[in-house]
Amino acid sequence: MFDIDKWQEIFLSIKQHKIRSILTAIGIFWGIFMLIVMLGMGNGLKRGSEYNFRDDAVNSIWVSPGTTKKPYKGLPPGRRIQMTIDDFNRVDEMEAVDKGTPRNNLSGNFTVKHKQKTSSFDVRATYPDHQYIENTIMVNGRFLNDMDIKEKRQVAVIGETVVDDLYENIEDREAAIGTYISIQNLPYKVVGVFTDTGGERELRKIYIPYSTANQIYNYKNRVNRMMFTADEEDVEASKKLTKEIQAQLASVHNFDPSDKNAVFIRNNIENFERFMALFGAIEIIIWIVGIFTLLAGIIGVGNIMLIIVKERTKEIGVRKALGATPWSIVSLILQESIFITSVAGYFGLVAGIGVLELINSFLKASPGSFFRDPTIDFRVAVIATIILVICGGLAGLVPALKAARVNPVVAMRDE
Amino acid sequence: MLLLKNINKSYKVGKGSLHVLKNVQMEVKEGELISIMGSSGSGKSTLLNIMGILDDYDSGEYYIDNTLIKNLSQKQAAQYRNRFLGFVFQSFNLLPFKNAMENVALPLYYQKVGRRERNKIAVEYLDKVGLKAWAEHLPTELSGGQKQRVAIARALIAQPKVILADEPTGALDTTTSLEVMDLFKQVNKEGITIIIVTHERDIAALTQRTIFLKDGVIESHDHSFA
């Protein structure tokens, strides 16, 4: 391998056939480049969707009311189902349920005020468990707690953007803790500031205790949405829980348990699994397409090496007459083909990763929701490179063996 | 030095086969300078192939320096070629991208002699053939006679026992041919056995004896060719 003479001859051979060598190299370069870029793009799509799911707990189940479509026990279809805090409590006590919260959004047009500044935000009345279900990350202070619910405190947890919009000259967001904001002209004490992976929209939220809102806004225990997480992160377990919730609500609200429109139950883990299966399939397709692209390049190398052997028949004959062993001939041809594939492959790899990093830096500047971090991990890059070197060897093998079989006398007489 | 006993060789041609060499008997003693003559198709090349361990034979026995050369692996054949034999060809067969010195040094490369060492030896051999000053020149910068002298230096560098020359003067004019033959004679005086395949009578006349080959059979050993 580290025979200087052999390398000199390889470089010379490449130098003497610049165009041919470059075209061959481009075939390989393109193959590996496309493989890397496509894998990166696939990863980007996958990570983008994973990221979207990350905002909410993957194993969460969301329940919202609907309208019955099937008649049941003499009752006509078309009845609106209204859930209450009792429904929530019954589901929350189920064994398979881990966390749970009701969630009502404050309705109507209203503004939120702090001192002179006014803006409008979404206000959500929830329980403390909401923090886990929507993956809310506290920056300062705390989220809602059980005492807030129990004592119906007028407290609020606000997003970072809310602070930015309502507070003047705030260097440190911690300074917002303990101040008051007014929602529909009622004062709420700020107890926490949060951030959220779900993006800008999630940062414009304000959380207040459900019990407080229930009393002030006269909900009469009505609940507009219930959210739970299953005890186990398992599709079957969460499917079973979904059915139990449906059955529970059906028996209380007198609707057909098979009526899918009476209540809407969104099972995120099922969706998540479905998405992951889809991306698994996309990844396989990408590998297949990529490897075939690469294969085209490798066949190109094989072709070129055959031509090289043909052209150098005489030289190989001379070498054999002078005492070259078959292996020294084979290794000469093999090394040239492996060298071309490795160098071209390496540049393809670097260029592919470069393009992905470039896209990534653009995405970081303006994050899109469906496409994220389109990079490949180092292991995949290494595997691809190893495949490439092996293939380079295979591509050179047939021509090299042909070269080793050259009959010296015939080759040398060949003018 | 070379001993061929009942050598037979045939090639498959389509469905039949062509019997090229028929019971060839031949001996070349150490230090001889001989020529082999024959028209094209007489089996000259095949004989040369077999003597040069470039091809196998079907039956018989072939000895170089009392070593039986038969059914060798490709690797062994290459090693014997490298150790026992030096080749000189009609069309010189110098590698065009290597200078004279590198061409001469090539057999030593296959003996795994270090670069510096083999280039030094190569210059010595170039000096022997009177081309020391041309060591750095590429083959394209040399005349035909010079090229053949480089080729002879290359054949000599591995200190072979036998030099096989296939029409060594075929591409040269008369004056240069004679110069090359002088060089062969000089090398022969140092004790190296030389076999020259040729179709030129005056070249054959310069050797100690000539073997005539016709239709794969040795016709005569002529010691007093004039």
Side-chain angles (χ1 to χ4, degrees), chain A residues 84-99:
Chain A
T84 66
I85 198 70
D86 297 323
D87 289 321
F88 170 78
N89 287 336
R90 276 186 291 266
V91 174
D92 200 35
E93 276 157 23
M94 284 179 184
E95 209 176 316
V97 171
D98 182 23
K99 313 263 185 217

Side-chain angles (χ1 to χ4, degrees), chain A residues 168-215:
Chain A
E168 237 168 316
N169 307 322
I170 278 205
E171 295 297 322
D172 180 3
R173 290 187 169 112
E174 198 172 344
I177 308 289
T179 61
Y180 284 84
I181 55 171
S182 115
I183 303 169
Q184 293 191 347
N185 299 320
L186 289 172
Y188 286 83
K189 188 181 182 183
V190 175
V191 293
V193 177
F194 68 87
T195 187
D196 196 291
T197 55
E200 177 67 18
R201 278 167 55 93
E202 289 299 318
L203 297 180
R204 300 187 63 84
K205 306 292 184 202
I206 296 173
Y207 291 103
I208 60 172
Y210 174 82
S211 53
T212 313
N214 189 20
Q215 188 172 43

Side-chain angles (χ1 to χ4, degrees), chain A residues 69-86:
Chain A
K69 256 208 169 134
K70 294 180 181 177
Y72 186 65
K73 288 183 180 168
L75 295 164
R79 286 180 300 130
R80 268 197 66 80
I81 303 297
Q82 178 59 60
M83 302 191 295
T84 66
I85 198 70
D86 297 323

Side-chain angles (χ1 to χ4, degrees), chain B residues 120-138:
Chain B
K120 205 183 100 201
I121 300 172
V123 172
E124 283 170 25
Y125 276 83
L126 278 174
D127 195 17
K128 235 177 183 173
V129 299
L131 286 175
K132 191 177 180 180
W134 300 84
E136 304 286 336
H137 287 250
L138 289 174

Side-chain angles (χ1 to χ4, degrees), chain A residues 7 17 103 327 336:
Chain A
W7 283 113
H17 308 290
R103 183 165 101 185
W327 169 244
E336 183 171 336

Side-chain angles (χ1 to χ4, degrees), chain B residues 64-122:
Chain B
I64 301 180
D65 204 17
N66 297 320
T67 309
L68 178 64
I69 306 296
K70 196 168 192 176
N71 300 327
L72 300 177
S73 72
Q74 289 238 32
K75 193 179 171 187
Q76 277 176 313
Q79 281 168 351
Y80 283 171
R81 275 201 292 276
N82 190 262
R83 218 166 70 210
F84 287 129
L85 304 167
F87 290 91
V88 177
F89 307 95
Q90 176 177 6
S91 48
F92 324 123
N93 285 325
L94 301 176
L95 300 190
F97 49 87
K98 286 182 180 287
N99 66 30
M101 177 184 72
E102 287 166 339
N103 263 292
V104 172
L106 200 57
L108 294 185
Y109 167 69
Y110 289 115
Q111 283 181 6
K112 304 202 187 315
V113 176
R115 184 180 182 74
R116 197 175 296 240
E117 176 74 6
R118 64 172 193 263
N119 283 347
K120 205 183 100 201
I121 300 172

